């Protein structure tokens, strides 16, 4: 599901996921979700332990008040 979400929504200025080789970006996505507004984002942690936003989802993109994903 996260892989499908990572390729929808609004592309961040960072760009697409690169392969996980020397100096590359991790390929395991993280879903961030705001339950109040139904907004969210997809990101990864790069090889320097920095968060990299790949996609964002504006208010209303998801149902609100989820307690489990």
């Amino acid at each position: 599901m996260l892989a499908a979400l990572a390729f929808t929504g609004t592309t961040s200025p960072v760009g697409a996921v690169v392969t996980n080789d020397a100096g590359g970006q991790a390929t395991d996505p993280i879903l961030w979700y705001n339950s109040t507004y139904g907004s969210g984002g997809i990101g990864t942690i790069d090889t320097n332990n920095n968060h990299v936003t790949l996609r964002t989802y504006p208010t209303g993109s998801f149902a609100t008040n989820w307690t489990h994903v």
Side-chain angles (χ1 to χ4, degrees):
M1 181 65 180
L2 289 181
L5 285 172
F7 292 101
T8 64
T10 304
T11 306
S12 75
V14 174
V17 177
V18 297
T19 57
N20 192 12
D21 56 3
Q25 181 175 307
T27 56
D28 294 329
I30 302 165
L31 171 64
W32 302 99
Y33 165 69
N34 182 309
S35 66
T36 301
Y37 301 108
S39 58
I42 299 285
T44 61
I45 304 299
D46 68 16
T47 55
N48 294 316
N49 290 322
N50 297 308
H51 182 268
V52 178
T53 302
L54 301 174
R55 298 280 192 262
T56 58
Y57 299 88
T59 297
S61 293
F62 301 108
T64 57
N65 300 315
W66 288 354
T67 58
H68 296 81
V69 175

